[in-house]
Amino acid sequence: MTMQANPMEVFQKEAPEVAAAFNGLIMALVGSKGLDQKTKQLIYIAIKASMGDTMAVAAHVPMAKAAGATKEEVVDAILMTLTVSGIRGVVTCLPGAVEQFE
């Protein structure tokens, strides 16, 4: 059985200059002052959940927790996607997100 490659590692290996530029963009967004880090992580979780991106949600829940997000806040962020994107993100992303709080 072959283990699936980490997409970000493949991106960095195959396009290091573009990956570095992308990382610079991320760092600029992290450093912007309009929203606190917890709010940024909750927004990111909601956006990625609306896309059904379980890997990104799983990666960002610990960051949200580290920034002070509660289980209820993460659940609400994912539930906010229902009226915009439907049920897919909720059913694919909510179980894994909740599991990280147990």
Side-chain angles (χ1 to χ4, degrees):
M1 182 190 295
T2 310
M3 194 170 180
Q4 187 175 10
N6 178 318
M8 292 306 290
E9 289 176 2
V10 174
F11 178 34
Q12 290 171 349
K13 178 183 175 198
E14 298 299 327
E17 298 85 10
V18 177
F22 181 71
N23 288 335
L25 172 62
I26 290 170
M27 295 314 297
L29 292 170
V30 167
S32 67
K33 304 293 185 216
L35 297 171
D36 61 82
Q37 292 306 310
K38 179 176 86 168
T39 303
K40 288 177 183 180
Q41 288 300 322
L42 291 170
I43 290 169
Y44 194 81
I45 289 168
I47 290 169
K48 293 311 250 178
S50 74
M51 299 170 67
D53 189 341
T54 57
M55 183 183 289
V57 171
H60 283 271
V61 168
M63 291 183 239
K65 286 173 64 176
T70 65
K71 176 183 171 182
E72 292 77 17
E73 289 171 321
V74 170
V75 168
D76 276 356
I78 293 171
L79 292 177
M80 290 297 297
T81 68
L82 273 169
T83 60
V84 176
S85 303
I87 193 80
R88 180 173 183 246
V90 174
V91 298
T92 59
C93 296
L94 190 60
V98 168
E99 186 176 286
Q100 291 193 52
F101 284 91
E102 296 170 355

